[in-house]
Amino acid sequence: MDKEIHKDYKSRINEVFNYIDKNLDADLSLHTIANIALFSPYHFHRVFKYITNETLRTYVTRRRIEKSALELIHRNSEITEISTKYGFNDLSSFTRAFKKYYGASPTEFRRQNPNKFSKIRQIDSKNGQDYPNSEKYICIINNLKKWIEMNAKIEIKETPQFNLAGVTHIGINGVENSFEKLIKWANSKHLFKDPEAKLGRLFYDSIKVTQPDKVRMSIFLITNEPFNVEGEINKLTINKGKCIVGRFEIAPHDFEKSWTGLFIWMNENGYKKSIENPFEIYHNDYREHPENKFIVDLYIPIE
């Protein structure tokens, strides 16, 4: 596929991602979404699958179920309310689709330890590893709480609106390529002359409920300098609001532990996650750190 056309396609698919996220309760048929992307349905089907490795129908169903799962974990909404909110015609169709995806009904999912149903745990179990029993699980949680106390400075902050230039990335592998792509573009536009410019990552999915190769994120640059959207670069906004902010100085392999620990801290201290997406902002180039560590703030938006 021609490189420039490919960039234009990715830009249009970004619009589709945003539309789907905001309209999970609406008509998301192939015809409707193809019109938004300015493609014929046939051509859109091919382009969408090329970029996401999923059909539109599979993607939409997965997003609806995974968003439902996160709501079951983080909020006390009624299951019927969740079913309607995420576009299911009735409770029985929601329960059937949910159980097919996670192997448990929404009620069972909420009642049991949600970590048992994470995609990582499912993959581990297929490799012959057992889920931790309750005693081991409590031990893991306690160790994470201690680790967070020792390695994080946590505050509750009112954060401003952030205006971003971003690149969409799907999957947890190859993230460095998207960073390099964004940095190369930003350098060509002299955007790093802004003293407030910082790199970061915005997460639309959680590995608690999404397979690692399906996790969607935006690699972004915070900048006050004006810029034009072009190719794969798109404009993003993180809304102002209240956040739990954890400052860490960590090695690359400690990010998952840090995020998990920060969410545990949120629950232990009685906070509830809002509908906004979590994100991270970097304060250094880890390659210039004497121990190759990131100085990074992790943000969990809360109600």
Side-chain angles (χ1 to χ4, degrees):
M1 192 176 288
D2 180 87
K3 188 175 181 180
E4 289 306 312
I5 294 177
H6 188 196
K7 285 183 179 180
D8 176 57
Y9 286 2
K10 283 193 171 182
S11 176
R12 288 197 246 174
I13 296 300
N14 281 332
E15 295 297 321
V16 167
F17 287 147
N18 292 335
Y19 182 86
I20 290 172
D21 282 349
K22 294 175 182 176
N23 295 278
L24 284 170
D25 63 337
D27 171 27
L28 298 175
S29 66
L30 177 61
H31 183 78
T32 299
I33 303 301
N35 280 340
I36 290 167
L38 304 178
F39 286 120
S40 70
Y42 172 76
H43 197 43
F44 174 78
H45 173 79
R46 293 178 64 240
V47 170
F48 189 84
K49 190 168 183 182
Y50 176 82
I51 291 174
T52 66
N53 205 30
E54 294 181 277
T55 65
L56 176 67
R57 183 176 180 180
T58 300
Y59 178 84
V60 168
T61 300
R62 178 173 64 79
R63 292 293 290 159
R64 284 171 166 161
I65 292 172
E66 289 173 354
K67 284 290 187 181
S68 301
L70 286 174
E71 187 128 349
L72 288 165
I73 291 171
H74 293 300
R75 306 172 75 86
N76 293 321
S77 308
E78 294 290 333
I79 292 175
T80 50
E81 180 185 336
I82 295 172
S83 171
T84 303
K85 180 177 180 179
Y86 292 108
F88 291 92
N89 294 328
D90 53 62
L91 184 58
S92 62
S93 63
F94 171 56
T95 301
R96 191 163 54 249
F98 194 96
K99 190 167 185 177
K100 182 178 179 182
Y101 197 76
Y102 287 112
S105 71
T107 303
E108 292 167 334
F109 183 93
R110 172 174 270 171
R111 185 174 63 245
Q112 298 182 38
N113 171 10
N115 288 275
K116 178 176 179 178
F117 296 99
S118 77
K119 290 296 177 183
I120 289 177
R121 299 294 328 154
Q122 288 182 34
I123 290 166
D124 285 349
S125 70
K126 289 173 184 175
N127 292 333
Q129 299 180 26
D130 293 329
Y131 299 128
N133 60 33
S134 58
E135 186 177 327
K136 286 183 180 178
Y137 179 70
I138 292 168
C139 181
I140 290 168
I141 294 297
N142 287 336
N143 287 339
L144 273 171
K145 286 159 65 175
K146 290 175 184 175
W147 190 86
I148 283 289
E149 287 177 11
M150 294 174 60
N151 291 279
K153 178 186 176 184
I154 301 174
E155 299 177 277
I156 307 299
K157 290 184 178 181
E158 293 287 341
T159 55
Q161 176 176 299
F162 293 110
N163 299 311
L164 319 169
V167 172
T168 299
H169 183 86
I170 297 175
I172 61 173
N173 294 323
V175 176
E176 61 279 359
N177 297 327
S178 292
F179 274 106
E180 288 173 10
K181 191 181 298 180
L182 181 63
I183 291 168
K184 182 179 179 181
W185 172 83
N187 280 330
S188 73
K189 306 298 180 185
H190 310 291
L191 295 181
F192 284 108
K193 69 182 181 182
D194 177 0
E196 299 299 316
K198 286 186 173 68
L199 292 168
R201 201 160 41 152
L202 174 65
F203 297 94
Y204 303 100
D205 298 307
S206 167
I207 60 170
K208 285 182 181 179
V209 296
T210 304
Q211 292 179 355
D213 65 336
K214 303 294 185 189
V215 171
R216 179 165 62 92
M217 63 190 80
S218 285
I219 309 305
F220 67 73
L221 172 72
I222 299 173
T223 179
N224 294 314
E225 296 291 323
F227 67 91
N228 293 319
V229 172
E230 55 183 64
E232 294 181 61
I233 307 301
N234 56 95
K235 286 186 178 180
L236 303 169
T237 300
I238 294 176
N239 296 322
K240 66 179 181 179
K242 184 186 290 186
C243 288
I244 297 169
V245 184
R247 170 67 61 91
F248 294 82
E249 188 169 345
I250 50 175
H253 62 265
D254 284 329
F255 271 84
E256 184 179 343
K257 181 192 295 186
S258 301
W259 274 113
T260 303
L262 197 61
F263 271 103
I264 290 170
W265 188 95
M266 177 188 76
N267 292 329
E268 291 281 319
N269 287 274
Y271 293 103
K272 290 185 178 180
K273 184 184 174 301
S274 77
I275 61 170
E276 301 293 330
N277 296 308
F279 58 99
E280 47 195 43
I281 296 176
Y282 312 114
H283 298 284
N284 74 321
D285 182 340
Y286 80 99
R287 294 167 296 187
E288 298 174 0
H289 189 283
E291 298 178 69
N292 285 345
K293 288 186 174 182
F294 288 87
I295 300 172
V296 58
D297 288 340
L298 307 188
Y299 291 75
I300 302 176
I302 55 175
E303 295 180 347

